[in-house]
Amino acid sequence: MAFPGHIQKTNKRTFPVESLLMPQIPRGNYFHLQEEKQRLQLKKFLLHRMFLVATITPNTEKKDISDYYEQVFQSILKHHLGEAVTGFLLVYPTSILHILETSSGTLYRILLDYLNHKQNETEFFIQRMKIIVASHNIPTRLFMQWHVSVMKVPVMYLDDVTQTQSLEEVITEFLTQTHKLALHLLKTVKVGAKGPGDNLHQIAPELLIPEQIIKYLCKSEQFMDPETFIDMYNKPIHVTLDSDVIWPAPTYF
């Protein structure tokens, strides 16, 4: 029933202006996505993998090499908890192949310790080290712990591929064989075990990298040595603008 002179009011709901401006669907960004992935994987740091090759001085005790790296790892772990090192050290008669998986800061300290020994000692037993590959932010580890395997007997190879193949072909074979070896160890070595031992040349001889390839890569100038890597790591990013090299200098208003 309506009365004359009475204006019926309509029931209009008012919405705050902020609710119209705010998105109705929660939005994130790529950085938050990466943080969430790291949290779900229980990672405290981004994981990196580095492939190293080097020569060793004659009459070097192979145990001295493994003891050296174990001491370096323990020293770093005291100051950087949780940044454990996994990987594989393959010791040949005159050279080594080393794969490391850890954080970028730990890799930096491992290389820095090597440089300190090389500069302060007359003849450090590890020489001519080269960084073959550095893979950043890898999703998972290939190794559950750090293993050492010593080649006690020389392995004879009939063909020296370094004499007939290009550098690209040699490095392709190197990476292919290295990853096959890593996958083999991942499947066969149980967690907590000491590793493949010193009879790897009998267990999987077809997966071993010929030593002449290791020595060939150590001599190659195309790969970065630790000194250059450390210099690039410490060098700040600086971009020179065109206005910085114009003379006379322009006047800014």
Side-chain angles (χ1 to χ4, degrees):
M1 180 176 181
F3 297 93
H6 178 75
I7 301 175
Q8 187 175 3
K9 296 181 179 180
T10 59
N11 186 16
K12 294 183 177 181
R13 298 178 60 186
T14 59
F15 297 92
V17 178
E18 292 80 7
S19 64
L20 298 177
L21 299 179
M22 294 294 292
Q24 301 300 317
I25 301 176
R27 299 179 182 274
N29 54 41
Y30 185 73
F31 176 74
H32 293 156
L33 177 62
Q34 292 297 318
E35 280 190 331
E36 182 65 15
K37 289 174 61 177
Q38 297 295 326
R39 186 187 66 81
L40 294 176
Q41 297 176 7
L42 301 178
K43 290 183 179 180
K44 297 180 180 180
F45 53 89
L46 295 180
L47 189 61
H48 309 276
R49 183 182 298 122
M50 182 173 288
F51 292 77
L52 301 170
V53 295
T55 60
I56 54 179
T57 56
N59 302 322
T60 299
E61 292 292 336
K62 306 307 183 286
K63 190 175 184 299
D64 293 341
I65 303 175
S66 60
D67 290 345
Y68 161 71
Y69 278 111
E70 288 179 356
Q71 293 175 4
V72 173
F73 298 160
Q74 292 297 327
S75 177
I76 296 175
L77 192 60
K78 291 179 181 178
H79 301 89
H80 303 275
L81 297 178
E83 300 185 11
V85 178
T86 60
F88 183 62
L89 173 63
L90 183 58
V91 183
Y92 291 88
T94 60
S95 61
I96 61 173
L97 164 63
H98 203 180
I99 307 173
L100 295 168
E101 298 175 332
T102 184
S103 66
S104 60
T106 301
L107 288 175
Y108 170 82
R109 292 174 180 85
I110 293 172
L111 295 178
L112 191 61
D113 188 89
Y114 162 76
L115 291 180
N116 291 334
H117 279 280
K118 184 179 177 182
Q119 295 171 1
N120 298 328
E121 298 182 12
T122 305
E123 188 178 11
F124 189 47
F125 52 79
I126 301 177
Q127 296 287 331
R128 306 178 73 170
M129 181 178 290
K130 290 294 179 63
I131 301 172
I132 305 303
V133 177
S135 303
H136 303 288
N137 193 16
I138 57 178
T140 184
R141 297 178 185 263
L142 283 176
F143 305 91
M144 296 297 103
Q145 59 194 66
W146 188 70
H147 303 291
V148 181
S149 185
V150 178
M151 302 293 296
K152 291 186 176 181
V153 295
V155 181
M156 302 302 295
Y157 302 98
L158 299 178
D159 298 326
D160 186 359
V161 297
T162 62
Q163 302 296 325
T164 58
Q165 295 181 353
S166 64
L167 177 61
E168 290 76 11
E169 293 172 329
V170 172
I171 193 61
T172 299
E173 180 178 350
F174 168 82
L175 294 176
T176 302
Q177 289 296 103
T178 304
H179 278 85
K180 288 181 179 179
L181 178 61
L183 292 175
H184 172 78
L185 297 177
L186 179 64
K187 296 177 181 178
T188 57
V189 178
K190 297 181 180 180
V191 178
K194 293 183 178 180
D198 298 338
N199 59 345
L200 189 60
H201 61 281
Q202 297 176 350
I203 299 175
E206 72 282 358
L207 299 179
L208 293 179
I209 307 295
E211 187 178 16
Q212 60 259 32
I213 291 183
I214 305 297
K215 298 170 70 173
Y216 172 76
L217 297 177
C218 291
K219 298 177 182 179
S220 179
E221 299 296 333
Q222 279 78 4
F223 299 103
M224 190 179 299
D225 54 27
E227 294 90 339
T228 306
F229 181 87
I230 294 297
D231 289 342
M232 293 182 60
Y233 190 94
N234 293 329
K235 185 180 298 183
I237 299 176
H238 177 72
V239 179
T240 302
L241 302 178
D242 291 340
S243 59
D244 295 336
V245 295
I246 296 177
W247 185 261
T251 302
Y252 297 97
F253 297 96

